[in-house]
Amino acid sequence: MIVAGFGFRQGATLQSIEDALALAQQFSPRVTLLATAADKAVSPEMARLAAVLGLPLTGVSGQVLARIATPTRSEASLASHGTGSVAEASALAAAGPGAQLIAMRHISPDRMATCAIAQGLTP
């Protein structure tokens, strides 16, 4: 399982999110699942991205995100979700136990969205 995890600011566009995904995916296998914080999973942009890519989207609870240590640290992410990177924590959580990051957080050129990719042990 290859999971693209996303974090993004209010007002991020679909283009911002797609740009972050493109940067993170450069050297990674094809993504099979999209993930983000549960409160962000209901955004129209994430729904459109899932539809465009034909991939399932899952929301990760704030309690789960806050328990995941991430290699990068954003003060905004810490303040809003209790984790250093919503993108990294979402990817790791959705990929399941033993998952590892294969692409750390990448930031869209407009700095509105981030994406990280994790690989899980199960297909």
Side-chain angles (χ1 to χ4, degrees):
M1 174 186 306
I2 307 296
V3 180
F6 296 90
F8 51 94
R9 297 174 189 223
Q10 185 174 357
T13 64
L14 177 59
Q15 187 64 55
S16 299
I17 297 167
E18 288 176 325
D19 289 348
L21 174 61
L23 290 169
Q25 223 175 237
Q26 289 180 76
F27 305 105
S28 301
R30 191 174 88 72
V31 169
T32 58
L33 177 68
L34 307 177
T36 190
D39 63 325
K40 294 181 178 289
V42 298
S43 77
E45 292 77 16
M46 286 305 298
R48 287 200 313 261
L49 180 65
V52 165
L53 298 177
L55 294 174
L57 169 64
T58 189
V60 180
S61 77
Q63 291 176 330
V64 171
L65 291 176
R67 289 194 307 255
I68 297 177
T70 60
T72 63
R73 180 182 168 103
S74 158
E75 294 302 321
S77 180
L78 280 167
S80 65
H81 290 88
T83 186
S85 168
V86 171
E88 292 170 352
S90 295
L92 288 166
Q100 295 193 9
L101 285 176
I102 56 175
M104 289 175 40
R105 176 183 73 170
H106 284 73
I107 304 169
S108 64
D110 66 2
R111 304 198 59 78
M112 294 295 286
T114 60
C115 180
I117 299 180
Q119 183 167 13
L121 299 177
T122 57

